[in-house]
Amino acid sequence: SIAGIQCMKLSGYSKGYGYKMGQTFTGDSDHAWNAVYLEGRWHLLDSTWGSGSVDDSCTKFTFRYNEFYFLTHPALFINNHFPDNSNWQLLKPTLTLKEFEKNMLHSSNFYMLGLLTAHPETAIIQTVNGKASVSVDCRSATLFSFKLKGTEERGLLTLRKHGMELDIYPRETGSHKLQIFAKPSKASDDVYSCVLEYVVECESVDEAVRLPKDLHQPVGPSWWTERQGFLRPSQPSPVIHSNDGRCALTFTLGKDISVLASLHADGGSLPEDASRRHIMQIRRGNQMELKIHLPHAGSFVLKLYAKKKSDPGNYDYVFNYLITCLNTEVKWPAFPQSYSKWLEEYEILEPLSGLLPANRNVQFKLRMPGIAKVLVQAENTYPLTQSRGYWEGTCNTSGCRELFVMVHENANHSFYSHVLKYEVENQ
């Protein structure tokens, strides 16, 4: 007004502080904002919401400039402002109060982060057979997270090039608050902003879905894992179902990276040393294969870590898969134990089991390029011979509890290095 701009004070209902999803509005209006006349037409703004917020006790005000509420497009302003006089929606056709109450609430962060649409478009979602699904579409690479009743469990969030998909499985019936958070992929800090809220009405719990505690969101490969150097995954889905307790994954490794993989199950059924022994890693040039033999039926988390080969530091967590197996007869032994001299380009063709039968002849076939000599040390010593790029031979397991594969790394070495260790079943 001081600047000579025509300015109207408007009042109405708002989905602001204290608003509960799906609530109805009755009685007097609870908020005021403005319309200003610029360049021949009216524009909407909310200088209160654009300046900051109060804390829960309404005693402390925090300044936080938010330009979203300055000359906001009417189609976005109606998201959380419903004027007493419907003409001031500046929309054709106008919304009814019922439609306003039922509509999804997108926070200003939703638009500031360049998000486009969210499905479903209703504030309240009913579960179907214990499951509810949400998806968000966006323009640019965005990272997402979620909370159901304040925790991140019981869900599967997968990143897409232009958004995300989320399936949640509430653990109990009733109404639960679901919050979706987002941040730009280029953001240096770890601060996610809340962009959406839903109320999930759960009528029945799907007890069959077991999501292990160790499962991290998001799940599965994505544009994000591609950036970390994991290209062309053979398993693009976040969940791998195995009928016989075995599965294999391959990747092309885009950067000069070393990979580490570990397997995790709920209830401590996999001790620390076994978490890697049920995975075999094979590197062929820039191709990486992971063979997985599950120790028993159930749900497992396969975690993948990576670091630059030139970097002496630790491996960084990159992403994980959920592996499920319902076959209760599954009981695969661990792969043999490998030592530091076992290189990632080496490969075991047989025997794959780390537990060998007693009093038997066992066939060995190993691929270890660049090695001068290989022998198997049991009760007796059995040299392997090289044939068509593989080291092969037979060894007898009688009279021993452990069996070692040992190598001469080059012809000048006078001593053998241990590379693999097998256990032998009790006599």
Side-chain angles (χ1 to χ4, degrees), residues 229 253-258 283 307-311 344:
L253 299 180
K255 300 176 181 176
D256 190 19
I257 57 173
S258 284
R283 180 91 177 238
K307 75 177 182 74
K308 281 200 181 117
K309 278 189 174 172
S310 55
D311 186 352
E344 59 178 8

Side-chain angles (χ1 to χ4, degrees), residues 132 210 228 337:
R210 298 251 190 285
Q228 315 304 309
Q337 185 177 340

Side-chain angles (χ1 to χ4, degrees), residues 101-334:
E101 288 170 346
K102 214 170 69 179
N103 271 4
M104 264 309 297
L105 175 62
H106 301 93
S107 77
S108 59
N109 293 319
F110 185 92
Y111 302 107
M112 302 287 263
L113 287 169
L115 308 186
L116 300 171
T117 56
H119 299 279
E121 292 179 338
T122 52
I124 297 170
I125 315 173
Q126 310 285 343
T127 58
V128 178
N129 301 325
K131 169 182 154 184
S133 299
V134 172
S135 64
V136 176
D137 297 325
C138 57
R139 278 195 200 90
S140 54
T142 306
L143 293 168
F144 291 89
S145 67
F146 73 94
K147 281 186 178 170
L148 181 66
K149 289 179 67 183
T151 63
E152 213 189 47
E153 57 191 315
R154 302 296 282 180
L156 281 172
L157 187 146
T158 51
L159 293 178
R160 298 282 176 255
K161 200 94 183 174
H162 298 292
M164 71 84 167
E165 291 171 14
L166 169 65
D167 294 331
I168 51 161
Y169 305 87
R171 281 186 161 169
E172 48 196 52
T173 56
S175 293
H176 310 305
K177 181 158 90 166
L178 171 65
Q179 295 166 292
I180 312 285
F181 303 85
K183 74 169 187 177
S185 67
K186 292 186 176 70
S188 54
D189 58 10
D190 254 355
V191 180
Y192 283 79
S193 305
C194 186
V195 291
L196 282 172
E197 279 190 21
Y198 287 96
V199 171
V200 178
E201 302 268 351
C202 179
E203 289 181 6
S204 66
V205 175
D206 187 346
E207 296 292 355
V209 176
R210 298 251 190 285
L211 299 180
K213 285 192 208 62
D214 275 319
L215 192 68
H216 281 291
Q217 310 292 341
V219 186
S222 64
W223 56 266
W224 170 252
T225 58
E226 275 189 16
R227 282 191 193 177
Q228 315 304 309
F230 289 81
L231 311 173
R232 291 186 275 287
S234 61
Q235 296 279 359
S237 163
V239 184
I240 300 167
H241 299 286
S242 171
N243 294 324
D244 67 355
R246 295 181 298 178
C247 59
L249 299 95
T250 57
F251 300 94
T252 301
L253 299 180
K255 300 176 181 176
D256 190 19
I257 57 173
S258 284
V259 174
L260 204 62
S262 58
L263 197 64
H264 304 264
D266 271 353
S269 63
L270 262 181
E272 186 64 38
D273 59 335
S275 70
R276 294 208 195 108
R277 292 272 312 279
H278 284 269
I279 304 166
M280 184 181 291
Q281 289 182 222
I282 305 146
R283 180 91 177 238
R284 303 179 189 97
N286 65 350
Q287 296 295 309
M288 161 70 70
E289 182 181 8
L290 299 174
K291 285 182 177 164
I292 295 131
H293 287 184
L294 300 178
H296 52 76
S299 295
F300 295 83
V301 181
L302 173 67
K303 291 189 180 178
L304 292 159
Y305 302 80
K307 75 177 182 74
K308 281 200 181 117
K309 278 189 174 172
S310 55
D311 186 352
N314 295 330
Y315 285 82
D316 291 322
Y317 167 79
V318 182
F319 70 116
N320 57 188
Y321 282 93
L322 175 65
I323 303 176
T324 64
C325 176
L326 300 175
N327 183 351
T328 52
E329 290 176 21
V330 159
K331 194 180 179 188
W332 290 101

